[in-house]
């Protein structure tokens, strides 16, 4: 009896100390890992019709089909960052971050979509914002396009029109010329996966075209061409003088096998969602697995050819190699399997894959149920990217958790503690080449079709007050400490909780 008690104590102590060892081992932020925060133009700027700005597809969407937004709100004023960018920069500086990721509103810079008439007031706003960041020692990372293209271009077909690749490249060139001398990292396009499936395939976000999977695939096809053209142009005309880095952002979840050891469903889900865009850039063409499956499904539906468009050998070569880093937005993970009955995925994004994805209801969720706290899925993904593409430099360009607002955001701190720890482990233990980690997001903002009901900010914005006052949340001071010490800080637990988390 006594012996087994001593053994138990021994077990507890050794388990404790191995946990502590683990904690210490993966707490230090290495010198090669830069830490920043991000925002997107439509989500924060407001001033939707100020400074000669043109109408974007989001202005059009929220004004014409307001019922598509959960709380019928819009981004007309949003977080008012068009006027308050100096306050925002002060807050970023207080956080001690290395960089800030912002996006440019295409319609503010080119109101009628054409690079022939640049809106000087519009581009000046971005000069001012970027100058303010630089003056405060904060590196700017610029997303050229985060979902808000001019409505006039949508009227000509938007991403269904191959000419969009040319229009996008002309717009990108305006930004290289104007901002390139002071911006050393450009992201061409944010998440083709989400915009193409939810905005062109479906109706959830602007422009809500409802064109099904064929529409979504065509959208991705044209975006890959647009990205590659913009990347090549930078190489030909600007790289030698400006010496910046360029990439595109993929939205990738973690796909954990429902049945241990059964890896094909995970592989399939990964290639359909993440590989769809990333394979073309890092390996060449769409993944074989995706090409075969979509061809098969198309045949079964009686189509004369696959609904996944084909690249010519010239395009395959042209797109391949067009990234200086792997841009990664990651939020959560799923369990995946091949179902025995008909699939009931809540999004048709994976339907052609034949894979079923679900969340384990035991996994803790943020205010939106698809955002579950499952950090091991992030580790899985980082290792997958390492092995799939020969360990490219990875810039994590978004990572965050939604809640219902409030200043005591314990859950956000817990999420970031666990997720950043997973990154540190992937870097230090597994040799993953992660070079940037971006918290999402700086402010509470317009969260697309969720309106203002769900917030990601480290800073609360009073959305009902015309002054849009900013108040730092609890997570803000946690993050300040992380940056001050360059050391991951333990989560702050709510007063009622006195045990540590079991996610280690
Ligand atoms: C988008 C962000 C958005 C986040 C949370 C990402 O897909 O890039 O703009 O705020 O998801 O929903």
């Amino acid at each position: 009896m006594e012996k087994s008690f001593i053994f138990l104590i021994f077990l507890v102590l050794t388990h404790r100390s191995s946990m502590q060892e683990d904690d210490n081992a993966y707490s230090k932020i290495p010198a090669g890992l830069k830490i920043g925060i991000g925002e997107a133009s439509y989500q924060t700027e407001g001033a939707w019709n100020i400074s000669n700005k043109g109408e974007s597809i989001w202005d059009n969407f929220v004004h014409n089909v307001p019922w598509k937004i959960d709380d019928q709100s819009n981004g007309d004023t949003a977080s008012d960052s068009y006027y308050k960018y100096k306050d925002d920069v002060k807050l970023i500086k207080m956080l001690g971050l290395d960089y800030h990721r912002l996006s440019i509103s295409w319609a503010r810079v080119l109101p009628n979509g054409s690079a022939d008439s640049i809106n000087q007031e519009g581009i000046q706003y971005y000069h001012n914002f970027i100058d303010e960041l630089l003056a405060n020692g904060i590196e700017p990372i610029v997303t050229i396009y985060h979902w808000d293209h001019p409505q006039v271009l949508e009227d000509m077909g938007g991403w269904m029109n191959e000419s969009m690749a040319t229009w996008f490249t002309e717009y990108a060139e305006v930004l290289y010329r104007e901002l390139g001398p002071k911006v050393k990292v450009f992201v061409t396009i944010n998440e083709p996966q989400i915009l193409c499936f939810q905005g062109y395939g479906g109706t959830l976000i602007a422009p809500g075209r409802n064109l099904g999977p064929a529409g979504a695939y065509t959208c991705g096809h044209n975006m890959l061409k647009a990205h590659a053209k913009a990347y090549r142009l930078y190489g030909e005309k600007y790289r030698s003088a400006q010496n910046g880095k360029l990439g595109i952002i993929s939205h990738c979840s973690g796909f954990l096998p429902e049945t241990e050891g059964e890896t094909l469903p995970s592989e399939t889900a990964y290639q359909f969602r993440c590989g769809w865009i990333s394979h073309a850039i890092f390996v060449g063409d769409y993944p074989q697995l995706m090409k075969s499956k979509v061809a098969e499904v198309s045949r079964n539906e009686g189509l004369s050819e696959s609904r996944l468009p084909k690249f010519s050998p010239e395009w395959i070569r042209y797109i391949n190699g067009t990234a200086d880093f792997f841009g990664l937005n990651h939020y959560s993970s799923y369990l995946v399997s091949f179902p025995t009955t008909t699939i009931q995925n809540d999004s048709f994004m994976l339907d052609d894959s034949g894979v079923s994805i679900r969340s384990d209801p035991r996994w803790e969720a943020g205010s939106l149920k698809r955002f579950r706290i499952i950090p091991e899925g992030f580790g899985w993904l980082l290792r997958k990217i390492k092995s799939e593409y020969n360990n490219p430099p990875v810039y994590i360009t978004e990572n965050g958790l939604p809640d219902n607002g409030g200043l005591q955001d314990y859950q956000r701190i817990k999420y970031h503690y666990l997720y950043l720890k997973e990154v540190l482990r992937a870097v230090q233990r597994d040799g993953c080449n992660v070079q940037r980690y971006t918290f999402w997001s700086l402010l509470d903002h317009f969260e697309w079709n969720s309106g203002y009901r769900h917030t990601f900010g480290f800073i609360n914005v009073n959305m009902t007050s015309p002054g849009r006052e900013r108040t730092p949340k609890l997570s803000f001071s946690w993050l300040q400490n992380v940056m001050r010490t360059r050391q991951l800080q333990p989560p702050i637990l709510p007063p009622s909780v006195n045990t540590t988390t079991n996610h280690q």
Side-chain angles (χ1 to χ4, degrees), residues 27 413 417 478 480-492:
S27 289
I413 299 171
Y417 167 79
W478 176 81
Q480 267 183 321
N481 279 335
V482 172
M483 294 313 296
R484 195 176 37 79
T485 55
R486 292 202 85 95
Q487 185 91 23
L488 191 54
Q489 298 298 312
I492 305 170

Short mmCIF file of all heavy atoms in Angstrom, two decimals, residues 27 413 417 478 480-492:
data_model
loop_
_atom_site.label_atom_id
_atom_site.label_comp_id
_atom_site.label_asym_id
_atom_site.label_seq_id
_atom_site.Cartn_x
_atom_site.Cartn_y
_atom_site.Cartn_z
N SER A 27 9.42 27.70 -24.81
CA SER A 27 8.86 28.98 -24.39
C SER A 27 9.57 30.17 -25.01
O SER A 27 8.97 31.21 -25.21
CB SER A 27 8.93 29.13 -22.88
OG SER A 27 8.01 28.27 -22.30
N ILE A 413 -6.42 34.28 -24.61
CA ILE A 413 -5.05 34.10 -24.10
C ILE A 413 -4.69 32.62 -24.11
O ILE A 413 -3.61 32.22 -24.54
CB ILE A 413 -4.94 34.69 -22.68
CG1 ILE A 413 -5.25 36.18 -22.69
CG2 ILE A 413 -3.56 34.41 -22.09
CD1 ILE A 413 -5.37 36.82 -21.33
N TYR A 417 -1.72 31.01 -26.22
CA TYR A 417 -0.65 30.32 -25.48
C TYR A 417 -0.42 28.94 -26.09
O TYR A 417 0.70 28.55 -26.41
CB TYR A 417 -1.04 30.21 -24.00
CG TYR A 417 -0.14 29.26 -23.24
CD1 TYR A 417 1.13 29.67 -22.84
CD2 TYR A 417 -0.55 27.96 -22.97
CE1 TYR A 417 1.97 28.79 -22.17
CE2 TYR A 417 0.29 27.08 -22.31
CZ TYR A 417 1.55 27.50 -21.91
OH TYR A 417 2.39 26.63 -21.27
N TRP A 478 -1.21 40.53 -21.68
CA TRP A 478 -0.51 39.24 -21.82
C TRP A 478 0.47 39.31 -22.99
O TRP A 478 1.65 38.95 -22.86
CB TRP A 478 -1.54 38.12 -22.03
CG TRP A 478 -0.92 36.77 -22.28
CD1 TRP A 478 -0.44 35.92 -21.33
CD2 TRP A 478 -0.69 36.15 -23.54
NE1 TRP A 478 0.08 34.79 -21.94
CE2 TRP A 478 -0.06 34.91 -23.30
CE3 TRP A 478 -0.94 36.51 -24.87
CZ2 TRP A 478 0.31 34.02 -24.31
CZ3 TRP A 478 -0.58 35.63 -25.88
CH2 TRP A 478 0.04 34.41 -25.60
N GLN A 480 1.75 41.98 -24.37
CA GLN A 480 2.84 42.91 -24.04
C GLN A 480 3.96 42.19 -23.29
O GLN A 480 5.14 42.38 -23.56
CB GLN A 480 2.31 44.03 -23.13
CG GLN A 480 1.86 45.25 -23.85
CD GLN A 480 1.43 46.33 -22.86
OE1 GLN A 480 0.80 46.04 -21.84
NE2 GLN A 480 1.78 47.57 -23.16
N ASN A 481 3.55 41.33 -22.35
CA ASN A 481 4.55 40.58 -21.57
C ASN A 481 5.32 39.59 -22.43
O ASN A 481 6.52 39.41 -22.26
CB ASN A 481 3.88 39.80 -20.43
CG ASN A 481 3.63 40.71 -19.25
OD1 ASN A 481 4.31 41.72 -19.09
ND2 ASN A 481 2.63 40.38 -18.45
N VAL A 482 4.60 38.96 -23.34
CA VAL A 482 5.27 38.03 -24.26
C VAL A 482 6.35 38.79 -25.03
O VAL A 482 7.49 38.34 -25.15
CB VAL A 482 4.26 37.39 -25.25
CG1 VAL A 482 4.97 36.57 -26.32
CG2 VAL A 482 3.24 36.53 -24.49
N MET A 483 6.00 39.95 -25.54
CA MET A 483 6.94 40.69 -26.38
C MET A 483 8.07 41.30 -25.54
O MET A 483 9.21 41.37 -25.99
CB MET A 483 6.21 41.80 -27.16
CG MET A 483 5.22 41.28 -28.19
SD MET A 483 5.87 39.95 -29.25
CE MET A 483 7.18 40.78 -30.12
N ARG A 484 7.76 41.73 -24.35
CA ARG A 484 8.78 42.33 -23.48
C ARG A 484 9.86 41.32 -23.12
O ARG A 484 11.05 41.60 -23.13
CB ARG A 484 8.12 42.90 -22.21
CG ARG A 484 8.98 43.85 -21.40
CD ARG A 484 8.21 44.44 -20.22
NE ARG A 484 7.28 43.50 -19.59
CZ ARG A 484 7.62 42.54 -18.74
NH1 ARG A 484 8.87 42.39 -18.38
NH2 ARG A 484 6.70 41.74 -18.23
N THR A 485 9.41 40.08 -22.87
CA THR A 485 10.36 39.05 -22.43
C THR A 485 10.82 38.18 -23.60
O THR A 485 11.74 37.39 -23.46
CB THR A 485 9.68 38.13 -21.39
OG1 THR A 485 8.48 37.60 -21.99
CG2 THR A 485 9.31 38.87 -20.13
N ARG A 486 10.14 38.28 -24.71
CA ARG A 486 10.29 37.37 -25.86
C ARG A 486 10.26 35.92 -25.38
O ARG A 486 11.05 35.07 -25.77
CB ARG A 486 11.53 37.70 -26.70
CG ARG A 486 11.40 39.04 -27.40
CD ARG A 486 12.27 39.22 -28.60
NE ARG A 486 11.71 38.69 -29.82
CZ ARG A 486 11.02 39.41 -30.72
NH1 ARG A 486 10.78 40.69 -30.53
NH2 ARG A 486 10.55 38.84 -31.81
N GLN A 487 9.30 35.70 -24.56
CA GLN A 487 9.13 34.42 -23.89
C GLN A 487 7.63 34.19 -23.77
O GLN A 487 6.89 35.10 -23.36
CB GLN A 487 9.74 34.57 -22.49
CG GLN A 487 9.80 33.36 -21.65
CD GLN A 487 11.13 32.61 -21.84
OE1 GLN A 487 12.12 33.22 -22.26
NE2 GLN A 487 11.13 31.34 -21.55
N LEU A 488 7.18 33.01 -24.15
CA LEU A 488 5.76 32.69 -24.02
C LEU A 488 5.34 32.77 -22.56
O LEU A 488 6.02 32.19 -21.71
CB LEU A 488 5.52 31.29 -24.58
CG LEU A 488 4.08 30.85 -24.78
CD1 LEU A 488 3.30 31.84 -25.62
CD2 LEU A 488 4.06 29.48 -25.42
N GLN A 489 4.27 33.49 -22.27
CA GLN A 489 3.81 33.64 -20.88
C GLN A 489 2.66 32.68 -20.61
O GLN A 489 1.82 32.45 -21.48
CB GLN A 489 3.34 35.07 -20.64
CG GLN A 489 4.43 36.11 -20.82
CD GLN A 489 5.58 35.90 -19.82
OE1 GLN A 489 5.35 35.73 -18.63
NE2 GLN A 489 6.81 35.90 -20.33
N PRO A 490 2.61 32.10 -19.40
CA PRO A 490 1.51 31.18 -19.10
C PRO A 490 0.17 31.86 -19.24
O PRO A 490 0.07 33.08 -19.08
CB PRO A 490 1.76 30.78 -17.64
CG PRO A 490 2.80 31.70 -17.14
CD PRO A 490 3.51 32.32 -18.28
N PRO A 491 -0.86 31.08 -19.55
CA PRO A 491 -2.19 31.69 -19.68
C PRO A 491 -2.66 32.28 -18.36
O PRO A 491 -2.26 31.80 -17.29
CB PRO A 491 -3.08 30.53 -20.10
CG PRO A 491 -2.31 29.29 -19.88
CD PRO A 491 -0.87 29.64 -19.77
N ILE A 492 -3.48 33.30 -18.43
CA ILE A 492 -4.07 33.87 -17.21
C ILE A 492 -5.40 33.15 -17.02
O ILE A 492 -6.21 33.10 -17.94
CB ILE A 492 -4.31 35.38 -17.38
CG1 ILE A 492 -3.01 36.07 -17.78
CG2 ILE A 492 -4.90 35.98 -16.11
CD1 ILE A 492 -3.18 37.52 -18.20
#
